[in-house]
Amino acid sequence: MQQEGGMAADPVERMAAAQRTYGEHGGVNGSIEVSTTFTVLDAKTLPDIFSGRKGPSAARGGCYLYGRSWSPSVQVLGRQLAAMEGTEAAYAVSSGMAAISSALLGLCDSGDHVVSSSLVYGGSYAYLADFLPRKCGIEATFVDITDLAAVAAAFTPRTKVLFCETVANPTLAVADLPALARLAHERGAALVVDNTFMPLAVSPARWGADVVVHSLTKFVSGASDIIAGAVCGSAAFIEQLMSLHTGPLMLHGPTMDPKTASELTLRLPHLALRMAEHSRRAAAMAGMLQGLGAEVTYPGLASHPQHAVLQRLLNPGYGCGGLIGINMGSPPAAEALMERLQNKHGGWLMAVSLGYFDTLMSLSSASTSSELRDDHRAAIPAGYVRMSCGITGSLEQRLAQLREAYSFVTACRGVAPYRATKVQRAPNGVMVELLSWPSAGPHEDGEAAAAAAADELVGAPAAAALAAAAGADAGCRMVLGPRGSGGGWQAPALPHGRGESQPASSFTAALSGTRGCEPGTSSEGEVDRAGEGTGSPSPRAAGAAGKSRLSAGVDAAGRPVKVRRLDADTHIVYTPLA
């Protein structure tokens, strides 16, 4: 697979063909150069470096000066990133925002103008809308990047940059990169593309982008343990960014630690495998949700408005990206979906960022897009959940969990009848709330019971949906004693979702009905083989794990609650919300 000039079109092939650096003593991995300053053998070399006659390239003597400018270890990573993006050069920096800000300041001077997509990462938006005008005298106009006529109309004689994301954060709108490149170049501007969402899958430089930026924190890192970014472009542009007089990389100092550069270099060889799997799972989840009638956004779906655009841009073999969007209709419904997935099932995390090995979920309009002006944020539904689809667990397991949570939330129209709260007695006797989630109540583990409860709680039309949701749940079975058993004790009101603790004495009466009998045995002597019923990452006690029974009572507010005993110290409290 070749492209013009003989360079391989496939990014993995380009990376394999790039210069390989081995360790100092023959190690298969490159050595890490941690020095902040570098010596010279000839006193006249230092003036030559400062004048630009000498530098780190072989053509200029291979001379290094100081870690804030060129670093050998960071340059090794830069060569790999340049190969990945198909650009002449690249340099890694301390964060994605450092990459974006350095690229824009390298292309613009005070008085210049930027045309930007109106739907970009909130930090990028704030930098363009607030920071640059106020601090640097650089103005920005925001447009719908999919409306080429609007993009063209936004240019002025002062416009130096057209800025967009390959796939928009968070709406997943796809930029028509060849068309945008033509618009920019015809007007003497540079096209800068943030390719954080689509490494390997799309090569923006191939379609006319002059500069490609990345947050390496995301898919390239893959573990949410490194903050890093990169600027990819022509060799002359990267050199310009390192100018001792006007270079943003040199003078603002967004330096990457050499050890971080080495770590990222070692993660690049398996990026292709990870991206393909992220994409495979995102496609499966989007397809399943669409089949359930969800309002789901994924550029790999034929229903996506820019599906055909993305198909033209893709490098074969890496899929259509690892992110999907689900419009749940309202923030409470979106929050219920996320809490049930994270706290009941586990392996799903309510957190910003993306590209992690577990699935990350966030309510975009209230988090990473909150910096947008109201008129631009209005394009993001208030109940829109952005999901960065992870690669842990089996796909079948994750699909079942997502199906269960989505079906549950839609069946009760986003308003759960119960709140389930898992509490555990700490070694010091204090009862600690571990986590909580929206629930159909203690009966939701049985298909028939859930169907009956659905009739009672949300009406007959929702019964089948709730029953299907409960059927997909691998929760525990419990023994239900006679109605009213365990009554008479008082349970404290639980501070849901805040991980707070209560004195052991305040729980003693509440939980007394679940103590004094063998695990899994009710006061009537009934025995049940049960599973814990939650895939949450909370502690599990030994011995009696997998056993449960149900007791009833009222909380401090006088509401009837039921408590399921998992073991001597761990319980789930079901509090009615209506």
Side-chain angles (χ1 to χ4, degrees):
M1 187 175 174
Q2 297 288 315
Q3 69 183 44
E4 190 174 341
M7 179 183 290
D10 182 75
V12 169
E13 292 181 5
R14 291 196 300 263
M15 293 165 70
Q19 177 183 341
R20 177 80 177 268
T21 301
Y22 294 94
E24 182 181 1
H25 303 290
V28 294
N29 297 317
S31 300
I32 305 173
E33 178 52 80
V34 298
S35 300
T36 60
T37 190
F38 299 84
T39 188
V40 296
L41 298 178
D42 186 332
K44 293 184 174 59
T45 301
L46 282 177
D48 286 342
I49 295 174
F50 275 91
S51 69
R53 291 189 294 272
K54 289 187 180 294
S57 68
R60 290 195 293 149
C63 300
Y64 291 88
L65 174 66
Y66 187 63
R68 180 159 47 85
S69 57
W70 304 105
S71 160
S73 295
V74 180
Q75 277 200 301
V76 169
L77 173 59
R79 284 197 296 270
Q80 283 291 303
L81 294 171
M84 180 180 79
E85 286 299 345
T87 57
E88 283 186 336
Y91 203 71
V93 292
S94 57
S95 71
M97 283 307 303
I100 291 169
S101 59
S102 296
L104 293 175
L105 290 177
L107 293 165
C108 297
D109 294 323
S110 179
D112 287 340
H113 176 253
V114 176
V115 175
S116 172
S117 170
S118 57
L119 289 171
V120 292
Y121 166 59
S124 304
Y125 187 99
Y127 188 74
L128 287 159
D130 303 316
F131 186 93
L132 284 180
R134 186 177 306 174
K135 302 293 186 181
C136 304
I138 299 170
E139 300 294 330
T141 299
F142 296 92
V143 295
D144 177 354
I145 204 67
T146 65
D147 184 343
L148 296 179
V151 174
F155 277 80
T156 76
R158 299 182 295 110
T159 303
K160 293 294 173 39
V161 169
L162 173 57
F163 178 76
C164 69
E165 296 167 342
T166 306
V167 174
N169 184 357
T171 62
L172 308 183
V174 181
D176 188 340
L177 298 180
L180 294 170
R182 285 193 299 272
L183 284 176
H185 297 161
E186 288 169 0
R187 291 158 178 79
L191 175 61
V192 178
V193 178
D194 185 337
N195 201 34
T196 297
F197 277 26
M198 301 294 283
L200 300 179
V202 176
S203 301
R206 182 182 179 191
W207 304 109
D210 300 283
V211 178
V212 181
V213 293
H214 275 276
S215 172
L216 303 178
T217 309
K218 312 303 192 298
F219 286 111
V220 173
S221 165
S224 291
D225 60 338
I226 287 174
I227 301 290
V231 185
C232 311
S234 68
F237 181 66
I238 301 301
E239 286 276 354
Q240 174 191 330
L241 297 181
M242 279 295 186
S243 167
L244 295 175
H245 299 280
T246 59
L249 292 184
M250 181 63 185
L251 299 179
H252 284 175
T255 307
M256 174 177 281
D257 185 276
K259 293 184 283 292
T260 297
S262 177
E263 280 198 53
L264 290 172
T265 300
L266 296 179
R267 295 183 194 190
L268 283 174
H270 49 73
L271 175 61
L273 300 176
R274 293 187 280 113
M275 282 304 301
E277 184 63 7
H278 283 294
S279 295
R280 183 179 78 95
R281 292 184 176 221
M285 291 179 184
M288 183 201 71
L289 288 167
Q290 187 176 63
L292 294 174
E295 188 179 333
V296 59
T297 301
Y298 182 61
L301 294 175
S303 58
H304 189 282
Q306 291 90 41
H307 175 74
V309 173
L310 182 63
Q311 293 303 306
R312 293 196 300 269
L313 300 178
L314 286 175
N315 295 316
Y318 309 105
C320 297
L323 286 103
I324 65 174
I326 312 168
N327 182 11
M328 295 300 296
S330 69
E335 291 162 358
L337 175 73
M338 293 189 293
E339 288 183 353
R340 194 167 175 89
L341 283 169
Q342 174 181 287
N343 296 343
K344 180 176 175 61
H345 292 298
W348 310 71
L349 301 172
M350 291 182 286
V352 298
S353 197
L354 55 114
Y356 186 52
F357 47 74
D358 279 331
T359 295
L360 302 182
M361 311 171 289
S362 61
L363 192 61
S364 297
S365 63
S367 57
T368 54
S369 296
S370 60
E371 297 95 332
L372 275 63
R373 291 200 312 253
D374 290 345
D375 56 330
H376 294 146
R377 195 168 65 249
I380 306 168
Y384 183 90
V385 176
R386 188 192 75 184
M387 281 190 180
S388 172
C389 301
I391 56 177
T392 60
S394 72
L395 176 57
E396 293 72 21
Q397 174 191 29
R398 299 306 186 205
L399 287 173
Q401 292 169 345
L402 181 57
R403 183 186 302 111
E404 186 281 326
Y406 176 80
S407 299
F408 169 82
V409 173
T410 54
C412 59
R413 301 180 184 92
V415 182
Y418 283 83
R419 187 78 183 180
T421 304
K422 188 173 184 180
V423 297
Q424 188 174 70
R425 194 184 312 276
N428 63 0
V430 172
M431 293 301 297
V432 179
E433 176 188 339
L434 301 177
L435 37 76
S436 68
W437 60 91
S439 171
H443 49 252
E444 73 178 355
D445 299 301
E447 199 167 323
D455 284 329
E456 180 182 331
L457 295 169
V458 298
L466 266 180
D473 179 27
C476 75
R477 305 292 180 218
M478 68 193 87
V479 176
L480 303 180
R483 185 177 297 274
S485 66
W489 51 265
Q490 299 290 314
L494 294 173
H496 297 305
R498 295 193 296 274
E500 298 177 11
S501 62
Q502 299 286 342
S505 59
S506 69
F507 280 85
T508 301
L511 302 178
S512 61
T514 66
R515 308 206 45 164
C517 59
E518 289 301 313
T521 306
S522 74
S523 57
E524 269 55 50
E526 298 168 294
V527 179
D528 178 57
R529 294 182 179 179
E532 181 181 336
T534 170
S536 65
S538 55
R540 301 188 182 194
K547 308 290 185 179
S548 70
R549 68 174 292 267
L550 194 70
S551 298
V554 294
D555 69 3
R559 296 173 297 183
V561 301
K562 293 189 176 181
V563 177
R564 185 169 68 185
R565 177 184 188 272
L566 301 180
D567 58 50
D569 295 310
T570 310
H571 305 76
I572 297 179
V573 180
Y574 297 91
T575 305
L577 300 179

